[in-house]
Amino acid sequence: MNENTNFQEEEINIREELEKYLKYWPWFVMSAGIALILAFFYLKLATPIYSTTASIIIKDEDTKSPATSGLSSFADLGVLEGLKTSSIENEIGLLESKRMMTKTIKSLDLNIQYYYSDFLITKELYKNNPFKVSILSLNDEDLNKAVENEINFFTIKENKEGFEIYSENIDKKLKGKFGDPLNIGFADIVIRKNTNYIQPEKDSGEFSFKISNLENIVAVYKSKLKVALVDDNSTLIDLSLDDHIPAKAQDILDQLIVEYNKEAIIDKNLVASNTAEFIDERLKVINSELDSVEINKEEFKEDKKLTDIKAESEIFLNNASDFKKERQRVTTQSQLAKAMLDFLQKGDNSDLLPMNLGIEGEGVNQQISDYNELVLQRNRILESSTEKNPVIKNLDRQINQTRSVVTQSLQRLKSNLDISLNELENESELIQSRISDVPSMERTYRGIDRQQQIKEALYLFLLQKREENSLSLAVTAPKAKIVDNAYTNVNPVAPKSKLVLLGGLVIGLLIPFGIIYGKNLLNNKVKNRGDLERKAKQIPIVGEIPRIDKKENHLITEADRSVLAESFRIAITNMQYLLINKTDKQKGIKMLVTSTVKGEGKTFTSINLALTLANMGKKVIVVGADLRNPQLQRYDVGSRKHLGVSDYLINEDLQLNNLIEQTKFNKNLDFLTSGSIPPNPSELLRHRRLGEMLGMLEEQYDYIILDTAPCMLVADTFLISQYADITLYVVRASYTEKALLQFPIDSKEAGKLHDISFVLNDVDTANFGYYGNKYGYSYGYSEDESFIDKIKKYFD
């Protein structure tokens, strides 16, 4: 049973909350309509934004190439611990870098923008503009000032002599000819006609151009650029850019890929270029040494008059061929190691080490490759940073550490080669002892010949490496393979029409909802029957009195069919149920009408209640029991001069019947005004003659309505309440504060007021009929109401 009751209460509460807003449905319809119209115009005037996408694959580098090999060896040794990063993330960072976007914007001259203005519409042109502006020289400081003063925007008009340009913020017009230099203050420019311009059918507007700060344009497009890895297990990258000009966005993405490949090729060729320089230097030295050896050999043979030494030492050469080859190899390796050590001592952290010279030992070659990779990374970052950058300092430490490792490896290699060479020399001495019979001349000649062969072998070896290096320098494949060139989706990404219209509809509904909700939230006054029932459940409500316009009649007449008259009839009917325990009283029922504070409509309620009863044939009298601030005289101006209740209580010689005045409103209605305003109202109301007066009135009238003072301000009403059969407590809608409803509750519990019930006065038309809204309260009372009047009610 309790669950059903709770469910019904919750259902009623939800309905009440909805009714607070549904009664203002025209506001919601109008607000939503206006919002949708504004959203529609926004969609028509807004510039659509399109999404442009391109896809590339970052090629995996050859692990043996100079640019990428060697890092794994150092990682195994722990030298580069903490430096391991995802190479693909580095490439994404490079594509998103400001430097790459700056190169792209410079290549496309996007800091120069072209516009076409026609009436109130200005749109940006791209490619299809009638002229093209080229910048010969530019002063960045002057350009920044021009941007701040908005004098970097020029309108151009063609004439017979050439053209003239002007800015809105500058009175001076500049004239020039197409193809000739023109100074515009912050730059020297050349304006040429665009031979590829396609003129539209209607071309009545103006053309203009704007020169912007390169940094600002780069920042704009850098923020728009999105670079994302398609899958963690692949090197496929998507590049996207949102812009209102699809062709421009496509060119930016395509040019960005071109600039990326250019830089990758430059990085690849940097090591090869340094290697080529090193080989050329060594070839010059070896060539000089080889010339010296050959001259010595020639002079020796001429001096000794030798012709064919080979035939004389054929047996020895056959036996020592293996020794010679080994000695040549060891000597070559030792000299290469020494040359690399010399290069390391002379170079700094920005120099790359030569690669692929033929040094035996994969460890040393791997270490050299790792060292070059670190140097390349340092030089690349240093282009957009300084040596104080923590990353540069960290790389310097790693390069120095790697340089030390490479130096130690080369020193160990050279030491090992020297030991091997010494051993070979020892073996050579043994062989020389065996060929002591060979003339010293032969030994000398062989020594010269041996030096010549060593130099020739080294020279040929370097020539071969130079050709290999030149070949790798010539073959420069792009690092980024294009999967899809930049293309634009035909559907704009912004503004999205459905989302904008939906948002407009929601905002249009939220605005009146918020206003109504805020108004209800901040309202501390009683608005309707529901507020009264929630705050004071202990006290019944006998009636609701509707708000009456100032132009309307405030008093009920005979045969009155207005909503006001019907509301008082309903109130009287409800009061009969409250008087059911007083069936012994056939006449002389005393109704006390009071309120919390003044201005809540006590006198208005008293008189109309009396008129309703009088129209029903009852004998009724209204007693002005508010001795301090009488209001009954407002409805009978002449009665102000009459004696009344206060005079009767003071003067025992006065007769009550002489004080009663028949009203002009109804023959069954009489007034007994409050009379003169006394200095001591409370003492008078304690007088015994008050009870006697009411007793005499009971014998003469069916109903005695006591119009009393506000009970919260003075105690007068509490003195009269003991004589009342029923207490009507008037609450005025949109006037009485909800907090004041506690006063009648406390008064009832304290016994100061008895048989109390509420009359809700001045109820707004929108809030009137708490039950009527559900059951058709206004039935039969709105036939004469026009459609315009009905609409007005919703907007009141």
Side-chain angles (χ1 to χ4, degrees):
M1 183 67 181
N2 293 333
E3 293 181 358
N4 294 335
T5 303
N6 293 337
F7 175 76
Q8 291 175 0
E9 291 179 355
E10 181 179 357
E11 182 181 5
I12 292 173
N13 291 336
I14 293 175
R15 181 179 295 176
E16 289 178 14
E17 292 299 321
L18 289 176
E19 287 175 352
K20 291 180 181 178
Y21 302 97
L22 291 178
K23 62 187 177 183
Y24 296 106
W25 65 265
W27 282 108
F28 285 91
V29 173
M30 183 176 68
S31 178
I34 293 174
L36 286 174
I37 292 173
L38 292 177
F40 176 78
F41 278 107
Y42 169 76
L43 291 174
K44 288 295 183 182
L45 298 177
T47 303
I49 305 297
Y50 297 91
S51 178
T52 303
T53 306
S55 300
I56 60 173
I57 291 179
I58 305 299
K59 294 182 181 179
D60 293 332
E61 297 293 337
D62 185 3
T63 56
K64 295 183 181 181
S65 67
T68 59
S69 62
L71 285 177
S72 59
S73 299
F74 287 101
D76 295 337
L77 294 172
V79 175
L80 300 179
E81 192 66 30
L83 190 61
K84 295 179 181 178
T85 55
S86 175
S87 59
I88 193 64
E89 292 179 356
N90 292 337
E91 302 305 326
I92 291 176
L94 181 60
L95 286 167
E96 293 178 335
S97 66
K98 178 182 177 183
R99 182 166 54 85
M100 295 300 298
M101 183 57 70
T102 302
K103 290 183 177 180
T104 302
I105 299 301
K106 281 184 177 180
S107 299
L108 298 174
D109 290 333
L110 295 183
N111 59 323
I112 305 174
Q113 296 166 290
Y114 304 89
Y115 297 92
Y116 173 76
S117 301
D118 186 10
F119 191 50
L120 297 177
I121 299 176
T122 299
K123 64 178 180 179
E124 184 178 353
L125 302 176
Y126 184 70
K127 291 187 177 179
N128 190 35
N129 42 286
F131 56 90
K132 183 175 178 58
V133 178
S134 300
I135 299 177
L136 300 178
S137 62
L138 178 67
N139 188 303
D140 292 331
E141 294 183 0
D142 293 341
L143 175 59
N144 292 333
K145 293 179 181 179
V147 172
E148 292 178 1
N149 298 325
E150 297 182 353
I151 56 175
N152 61 324
F153 189 92
F154 297 93
T155 300
I156 181 170
K157 290 186 177 180
E158 187 175 356
N159 52 36
K160 295 180 179 180
E161 298 177 356
F163 61 85
E164 62 178 13
I165 62 173
Y166 61 91
S167 177
E168 293 182 356
N169 297 326
I170 300 178
D171 296 334
K172 182 180 178 181
K173 292 185 178 181
L174 300 177
K175 297 181 179 180
K177 295 181 179 180
F178 291 103
D180 292 345
L182 178 66
N183 183 274
I184 58 175
F186 56 85
D188 291 327
I189 63 173
V190 172
I191 301 178
R192 297 182 178 87
K193 289 187 176 181
N194 185 4
T195 56
N196 298 323
Y197 172 64
I198 301 175
Q199 186 173 0
E201 295 181 0
K202 295 182 179 180
D203 191 2
S204 59
E206 295 180 341
F207 293 95
S208 54
F209 66 92
K210 180 173 70 173
I211 300 177
S212 303
N213 187 294
L214 184 64
E215 295 289 329
N216 296 339
I217 301 298
V218 170
V220 169
Y221 285 102
K222 184 178 181 297
S223 63
K224 292 182 179 181
L225 178 66
K226 297 178 182 178
V227 182
L229 187 63
V230 176
D231 189 86
D232 293 338
N233 298 322
S234 69
T235 59
L236 180 62
I237 295 176
D238 277 347
L239 296 88
S240 62
L241 185 67
D242 295 343
D243 196 70
H244 61 282
I245 302 179
K248 182 191 289 188
Q250 292 175 12
D251 288 349
I252 290 174
L253 291 183
D254 289 338
Q255 188 63 32
L256 181 63
I257 297 172
V258 171
E259 296 296 334
Y260 172 79
N261 280 329
K262 282 183 181 179
E263 183 155 311
I265 291 173
I266 291 173
D267 288 344
K268 286 181 181 180
N269 292 339
L270 192 58
V271 174
S273 298
N274 282 274
T275 303
E277 292 178 2
F278 173 79
I279 292 175
D280 289 339
E281 291 179 0
R282 295 305 304 165
L283 280 173
K284 291 179 181 179
V285 175
I286 298 301
N287 187 48
S288 177
E289 294 176 353
L290 184 59
D291 289 341
S292 178
V293 171
E294 289 179 345
I295 290 172
N296 290 337
K297 182 179 180 180
E298 181 181 355
E299 291 177 349
F300 177 79
K301 293 179 74 174
E302 289 178 353
D303 184 51
K304 301 299 181 179
K305 297 181 180 181
L306 297 175
T307 57
D308 189 7
I309 301 176
K310 182 178 179 181
E312 298 176 2
S313 57
E314 184 176 0
I315 297 174
F316 168 74
L317 291 176
N318 290 334
N319 293 332
S321 60
D322 294 335
F323 161 74
K324 291 180 181 180
K325 292 179 181 179
E326 183 64 16
R327 192 170 183 277
Q328 289 175 0
R329 185 188 67 79
V330 173
T331 302
T332 300
Q333 291 295 317
S334 177
Q335 290 187 4
L336 288 174
K338 181 178 180 302
M340 289 296 293
L341 287 171
D342 294 339
F343 186 83
L344 275 173
Q345 292 176 357
K346 296 177 182 179
D348 55 17
N349 287 353
S350 62
D351 293 333
L352 298 170
L353 297 180
M355 288 290 297
N356 298 334
L357 295 179
I359 296 177
E360 298 178 357
E362 285 296 321
V364 175
N365 288 326
Q366 190 71 20
Q367 292 167 1
I368 293 173
S369 177
D370 293 344
Y371 176 86
N372 288 339
E373 182 65 23
L374 289 174
V375 171
L376 280 175
Q377 187 175 355
R378 177 185 181 273
N379 293 342
R380 184 184 300 116
I381 297 175
L382 198 58
E383 288 182 6
S384 58
S385 181
T386 64
E387 293 184 352
K388 295 182 179 180
N389 191 321
V391 178
I392 297 298
K393 291 181 178 181
N394 186 31
L395 288 172
D396 286 339
R397 287 194 296 270
Q398 295 174 14
I399 290 171
N400 291 333
Q401 189 176 7
T402 307
R403 177 193 290 269
S404 177
V405 172
V406 174
T407 303
Q408 292 176 5
S409 298
L410 289 172
Q411 288 174 347
R412 285 196 299 271
L413 178 63
K414 188 175 183 307
S415 178
N416 293 335
L417 291 172
D418 291 341
I419 293 172
S420 299
L421 190 60
N422 289 334
E423 292 177 354
L424 291 173
E425 291 293 341
N426 293 332
E427 292 178 5
S428 176
E429 291 178 0
L430 293 175
I431 295 174
Q432 291 299 328
S433 64
R434 293 177 184 176
I435 58 172
S436 57
D437 294 336
V438 178
S440 60
M441 179 180 59
E442 181 68 16
R443 290 199 302 270
T444 303
Y445 178 79
R446 288 302 177 186
I448 296 173
D449 187 60
R450 183 168 56 249
Q451 291 294 325
Q452 181 186 14
Q453 292 178 6
I454 292 172
K455 299 298 181 182
E456 284 181 351
L458 182 59
Y459 184 77
L460 293 174
F461 174 79
L462 291 175
L463 283 177
Q464 180 183 357
K465 291 301 177 182
R466 185 174 68 176
E467 291 302 319
E468 292 176 358
N469 189 69
S470 299
L471 183 61
S472 65
L473 189 63
V475 180
T476 53
K479 188 174 184 179
K481 179 181 179 181
I482 299 176
V483 178
D484 288 320
N485 287 315
Y487 64 94
T488 302
N489 195 335
V490 294
N491 297 319
V493 296
K496 295 184 177 180
S497 57
K498 293 182 179 179
L499 189 61
V500 171
L501 292 174
L502 178 61
L505 178 62
V506 172
I507 293 174
L509 295 175
L510 286 178
I511 289 175
F513 176 83
I515 294 174
I516 297 170
Y517 178 80
K519 184 179 179 181
N520 292 334
L521 187 66
L522 298 175
N523 176 48
N524 63 342
K525 307 292 179 60
V526 176
K527 295 288 290 184
N528 51 37
R529 185 188 187 103
D531 293 340
L532 200 57
E533 288 182 342
R534 282 189 289 271
K535 291 292 182 180
K537 296 181 179 179
Q538 304 91 329
I539 301 175
I541 303 172
V542 296
E544 297 176 78
I545 311 302
R547 180 173 297 170
I548 305 300
D549 192 82
K550 294 181 179 180
K551 298 179 181 179
E552 298 182 20
N553 188 9
H554 285 213
L555 298 179
I556 297 173
T557 59
E558 294 185 21
D560 197 334
R561 298 180 68 249
S562 65
V563 178
L564 177 66
E566 187 62 27
S567 65
F568 276 98
R569 295 189 189 105
I570 293 174
I572 291 173
T573 302
N574 292 335
M575 282 188 288
Q576 301 304 318
Y577 293 99
L578 300 178
L579 295 170
I580 196 169
N581 294 328
K582 303 182 184 295
T583 55
D584 56 329
K585 266 189 115 171
Q586 299 298 325
K587 60 185 300 183
I589 298 174
K590 296 181 287 299
M591 298 181 180
L592 185 145
V593 181
T594 186
S595 66
T596 307
V597 294
K598 69 175 183 177
E600 294 181 290
K602 299 181 298 298
T603 305
F604 168 79
T605 303
S606 300
I607 294 179
N608 280 293
L609 185 63
L611 285 171
T612 303
L613 291 169
N615 291 334
M616 296 168 61
K618 304 295 182 181
K619 189 66 175 176
V620 186
I621 184 171
V622 179
V623 178
D626 187 356
L627 304 184
R628 299 173 185 268
N629 185 23
Q631 297 294 320
L632 194 59
Q633 290 86 336
R634 290 190 299 114
Y635 294 91
D636 191 359
V637 180
S639 64
R640 294 180 184 272
K641 301 178 182 178
H642 296 167
L643 301 178
V645 174
S646 60
D647 302 290
Y648 176 79
L649 296 178
I650 294 173
N651 190 352
E652 296 187 3
D653 296 333
L654 292 176
Q655 297 296 320
L656 182 62
N657 291 333
N658 295 333
L659 303 178
I660 296 173
E661 176 189 1
Q662 184 177 3
T663 67
K664 59 183 179 180
F665 305 116
N666 193 294
K667 63 181 181 178
N668 295 325
L669 176 63
D670 295 337
F671 279 176
L672 176 58
T673 62
S674 58
S676 305
I677 300 176
N680 54 346
S682 297
E683 286 75 6
L684 282 179
L685 293 174
R686 289 186 176 92
H687 201 283
R688 60 176 177 77
R689 284 175 64 84
L690 177 63
E692 295 175 358
M693 181 189 74
L694 295 176
M696 287 186 288
L697 294 176
E698 286 184 18
E699 298 298 329
Q700 301 179 36
Y701 296 95
D702 296 320
Y703 290 93
I704 300 100
I705 299 177
L706 303 171
D707 181 22
T708 65
C711 58
M712 187 177 180
L713 304 178
V714 293
D716 299 358
T717 302
F718 296 133
L719 299 174
I720 303 174
S721 64
Q722 58 181 318
Y723 302 104
D725 296 312
I726 184 173
T727 301
L728 299 179
Y729 202 98
V730 180
V731 176
R732 186 174 181 179
S734 302
Y735 183 86
T736 304
E737 296 182 5
K738 295 178 182 178
L740 297 180
L741 295 178
Q742 188 62 36
F743 182 80
I745 297 174
D746 295 340
S747 299
K748 178 183 179 182
E749 294 176 353
K752 297 179 180 180
L753 297 175
H754 64 89
D755 295 303
I756 185 173
S757 58
F758 282 130
V759 174
L760 184 58
N761 182 34
D762 200 25
V763 182
D764 186 13
T765 307
N767 297 321
F768 181 65
Y770 176 68
Y771 296 111
N773 287 340
K774 303 172 186 176
Y775 304 114
Y777 182 81
S778 60
Y779 172 74
Y781 298 96
S782 60
E783 295 118 343
D784 299 333
E785 187 177 29
S786 67
F787 176 77
I788 300 298
D789 293 334
K790 293 179 181 179
I791 294 298
K792 285 182 178 180
K793 284 185 178 181
Y794 286 106
F795 294 94
D796 288 339

